[in-house]
Amino acid sequence: MNRRFSRFNLVSVALGLAFLYLPIVVLVIYSFNDSRLVAVWGGWSLRWYVALVDDRAMQEAALNSLGIALASASLATVLGTLAALALTRLGRFRGRLPFAAMLYAPLVMPEVITGLALLLLFVAVGLERGFLTITIAHTTLTLCFVAVVVQSRLVDFDRTLEEAAADLGCPPVKTFLTVTLPGIAPAIAAGFLLAVSLSLDDLVIASFTTGPGATTLPIRIYSEVRLGVKPEINAVCTIFIAVIAVIVIAASLATRRSTTNDAGTPAA
C-alpha cells in the first residue's frame, strides 16, 4: 500500500496532470477576463461570452460543426456496428484481412494523408466540397473507432442468450433486435459519443474537404488565431472544451455501465 501511494508516485501524477491540463485551466480562467488584452488580467467578467451572441460567423461555424458531427457520427455508428458484426460473427471469410486493414487504416494513418486522399477522391468524382464532403470524411475517420468499441463488446457477448432465443423459436432478426442489440447498446452509444467528439475536434481533415459555406468551428478558430488571439476565442474554446468533456464523460459512463452489466450477468 505504501509503495502504491508513495510520494514519488503522487508527485509524478501531479506533474503529469499539470502538464496536460494546466494550459486548459488557464484558458478557461482567462475566458472570464474583463480586459481586452488576452495576457492582462482585468477582473472577472462574462463580456466575451455575451460578445459571442453577436458573432454570426462563429455561430454558423458552431452549427455547421454540430450538424456535421451528428450526421457523421450516426453514419459511422451504423456502418461501424455492421463492420464489427461482420468481423466477429462471420468467421474467417474471404477478404477478411483486406477488409480489416482498410477498416482500421485511419487509426494509424496520419490525418494529412487521409485528408489529401479524400480531397483527391472528391475532385476526381466531381463532388463539390462542402457539408456533404466533410460529413463523408468524418464518417471515414470515426467509423473505425466505433467498430473497435463495438467489436470489443461483441467478443465478450454471451452467445448462449442468442442460442436460447433461437431454441424458443425467435427468428434471427428478432433475436438481434431483442437480445443482441440491447446487450451491445452501451457500446454503440459509447462509439457514437466518441465519434461526435472526434468530429467536433477535427481540423486537418476538415480543412482539406471543406468548401464555401461549410466552415467548421475548429477551422474558424484557427483562421482567427493566425491574426491574433481575441478574448472571444477563449470563450468559445471554453464552451468547446465543456461540450467535448460532457461527451467523453457520457461515453465513459456508457462503457462502465456495459462492464457492470457484464459483471452482474449470471453465468449460463
Side-chain angles (χ1 to χ4, degrees):
M1 183 66 66
N2 293 333
R3 182 179 178 183
R4 181 180 180 183
F5 294 100
S6 65
R7 182 176 300 178
F8 176 78
N9 290 340
L10 292 177
V11 172
S12 300
V13 171
L15 291 176
L17 292 176
F19 178 79
L20 292 173
Y21 297 109
L22 185 58
I24 298 178
V25 172
V26 173
L27 183 147
V28 172
I29 292 176
Y30 272 86
S31 70
F32 298 97
N33 186 14
D34 187 59
S35 174
R36 183 174 294 274
L37 301 176
V38 178
V40 178
W41 180 256
W44 297 94
S45 176
L46 294 174
R47 62 179 295 191
W48 306 118
Y49 289 92
V50 176
L52 287 176
V53 178
D54 299 325
D55 194 338
R56 298 297 182 185
M58 196 70 74
Q59 293 176 18
E60 291 179 2
L63 291 176
N64 285 335
S65 289
L66 182 60
I68 291 170
L70 293 177
S72 62
S74 300
L75 289 173
T77 300
V78 175
L79 297 176
T81 301
L82 293 176
L85 286 169
L87 291 174
T88 55
R89 299 296 177 86
L90 297 183
R92 296 195 171 277
F93 57 90
R94 179 177 297 179
R96 174 187 171 89
L97 183 59
F99 175 74
M102 290 186 294
L103 177 65
Y104 297 135
L107 285 172
V108 296
M109 187 178 299
E111 291 188 0
V112 173
I113 297 178
T114 303
L116 180 59
L118 290 169
L119 172 61
L120 295 176
L121 173 64
F122 296 145
V123 171
V125 300
L127 186 61
E128 184 179 356
R129 285 176 292 166
F131 186 94
L132 178 60
T133 55
I134 302 177
T135 300
I136 296 174
H138 283 185
T139 302
T140 303
L141 172 66
T142 59
L143 188 152
C144 56
F145 292 91
V146 176
V148 168
V149 174
V150 177
Q151 185 179 1
S152 64
R153 177 66 185 91
L154 286 170
V155 169
D156 298 330
F157 187 79
D158 189 1
R159 297 292 299 275
T160 58
L161 299 176
E162 297 175 334
E163 295 173 358
D167 290 340
L168 294 174
C170 189
V173 176
K174 188 175 181 179
T175 299
F176 175 78
L177 295 177
T178 59
V179 178
T180 308
L181 188 60
I184 64 175
I188 295 176
F192 174 80
L193 295 175
L194 180 59
V196 171
S197 178
L198 291 171
S199 177
L200 289 175
D201 189 53
D202 176 68
L203 170 64
V204 178
I205 294 179
S207 64
F208 277 96
T209 57
T210 189
T215 302
T216 62
L217 188 57
I219 293 177
R220 183 69 186 180
I221 293 174
Y222 179 72
S223 63
E224 293 196 3
V225 165
R226 289 189 301 174
L227 302 176
V229 179
K230 298 191 301 184
E232 292 95 332
I233 295 179
N234 289 339
V236 73
C237 287
T238 300
I239 297 174
F240 202 50
I241 291 169
V243 171
I244 293 180
V246 170
I247 292 174
V248 171
I249 291 173
S252 299
L253 292 177
T255 303
R256 180 177 298 180
R257 179 182 176 185
S258 176
T259 304
T260 303
N261 291 339
D262 292 342
T265 302

